[in-house]
Amino acid sequence: MSRVQVWWQTLRPRTLPAAVGPVLLGQVMVVPGYFSWLTATLCVVCALALQLAVNLANDLFDGLSGVDQADRLGPTRALQAGLLSARDLRVGLVLTLGIAIASGLWLIAFGHWLLWILGALSVLAVLGYSGGRRPYANLALGETAVWFFFGPVAVLGSLLAHRSPIGYEAVLASLLVGLPVAAILVVNNLRDRHTDRRAGKLTLAVRLGDRRTRVLFAALILGPLLLSLPLGLSMWAWIAWLIIATAGLSLALALRHRDGVALNPLLGLTALFSLLFALWLALRFLLAGV
């Protein structure tokens, strides 16, 4: 592969829909009169940069700690495969975090003061998942962190950036939208449960075991769908919900009988589903306000 192809693969672009969906939902839920296109654009830039930083940090820290070995089942990791050096990844991590921090500081300067706290927590989350002396992935907190940062932080943080009032609909949407994003990590950790256990990386999948991890995935995909039924809305809303529900049910069924490398395609598909679900919540919010 060329160096550009190596970097493209290392940045994991298939994960980006998961970062975009919740932030777009947040923009849709901004109260009219508070919306700014510049703020919305910077919210998306910041979210994408943080996601890319997470991907680079995991490649770097899992490679350095020895979690990634030659028998890795997931997509090739650049450091473990010798495609990039630790220095290369550190430079990439600094650049992506720099973009996230620069765009975040602009949002903080013109947004709510709570963004200082959310921004600091986001940077710590990027570095702390697989880095540091006690990565929180080893404490089985990865899925909870993903839900929190891709749910309440992404949606409500977007509203705070616009200084928009936060209604109960936004709070409910923020609690739901992060659940399918957390399901992406469930797939990843289900695939890697054997190698993670060997390396001492005690993820939630390692602790729960095979069967309960698969049940968790189904709950994270199907639960939010059931909690977002288009009650009282038009037939077209029900058609949209049924299309997305069919996609979610197909994912849950596909995971039941797959394992190992066969789970890899479900990572991108689950990320796409999380984007579709975020768009569904945005559509539901708009239709309810008509």
Side-chain angles (χ1 to χ4, degrees):
M1 291 187 293
S2 69
R3 196 163 178 82
V4 171
Q5 289 174 315
V6 170
W7 274 108
W8 180 254
Q9 175 181 281
T10 304
L11 289 170
R12 305 274 186 255
R14 291 184 180 181
T15 63
L16 296 183
V20 172
V23 174
L24 291 181
L25 173 62
Q27 311 313 309
V28 170
M29 305 195 87
V30 172
V31 172
Y34 291 85
F35 183 83
S36 161
W37 279 107
L38 176 59
T39 298
T41 301
L42 289 174
C43 284
V44 174
V45 169
C46 186
L48 290 174
L50 285 171
Q51 180 61 50
L52 294 175
V54 167
N55 295 339
L56 293 176
N58 290 345
D59 195 309
L60 174 63
F61 295 133
D62 281 351
L64 292 176
S65 66
V67 171
D68 289 340
Q69 297 290 333
D71 59 350
R72 173 178 164 78
L73 299 176
T76 302
R77 285 281 179 88
L79 182 58
Q80 183 273 324
L83 299 174
L84 293 173
S85 67
R87 181 182 179 280
D88 291 331
L89 289 171
R90 287 192 180 99
V91 170
L93 179 57
V94 169
L95 287 175
T96 50
L97 273 181
I99 294 171
I101 291 171
S103 55
L105 286 175
W106 180 279
L107 295 172
I108 290 169
F110 296 96
H112 196 281
W113 65 266
L114 281 173
L115 291 175
W116 280 107
I117 298 174
L118 297 182
L121 288 175
S122 298
V123 173
L124 290 175
V126 167
L127 301 174
Y129 176 73
S130 53
R133 293 184 178 181
R134 296 194 68 189
Y136 61 86
N138 290 6
L139 304 176
L141 295 175
E143 286 80 1
T144 301
V146 168
W147 164 79
F148 177 68
F149 286 102
F150 287 84
V153 171
V155 176
L156 303 183
S158 295
L159 295 174
L160 292 172
H162 289 273
R163 289 188 171 271
S164 171
I166 297 175
Y168 76 91
E169 302 96 338
V171 174
L172 179 58
S174 75
L175 297 176
L176 293 179
V177 75
L179 296 175
V181 184
I184 303 170
L185 188 57
V186 172
V187 178
N188 184 83
N189 291 343
L190 176 66
R191 181 201 62 208
D192 294 340
R193 67 192 183 280
H194 299 304
T195 52
D196 283 345
R197 182 184 292 110
R198 183 190 64 202
K201 186 176 181 178
L202 303 180
T203 62
L204 190 59
V206 171
R207 294 170 185 262
L208 290 179
D210 181 280
R211 186 181 64 83
R212 286 187 291 179
T213 301
R214 295 177 191 274
V215 171
L216 174 62
F217 177 83
L220 292 174
I221 292 294
L222 302 178
L225 285 166
L226 294 176
L227 292 172
S228 62
L229 286 167
L231 301 176
L233 298 181
S234 68
M235 177 187 68
W236 297 109
W238 278 98
I239 292 174
W241 182 87
L242 284 171
I243 292 171
I244 297 171
T246 300
L249 183 60
S250 298
L251 274 177
L253 291 175
L255 189 87
R256 290 184 61 191
H257 305 295
R258 294 194 191 189
D259 206 359
V261 294
L263 289 170
N264 285 334
L266 293 185
L267 291 169
L269 291 174
T270 306
L272 285 175
F273 174 79
S274 72
L275 174 59
L276 285 176
F277 182 69
L279 295 176
W280 157 245
L281 290 179
L283 176 64
R284 191 184 189 286
F285 173 76
L286 292 173
L287 290 175
V290 172

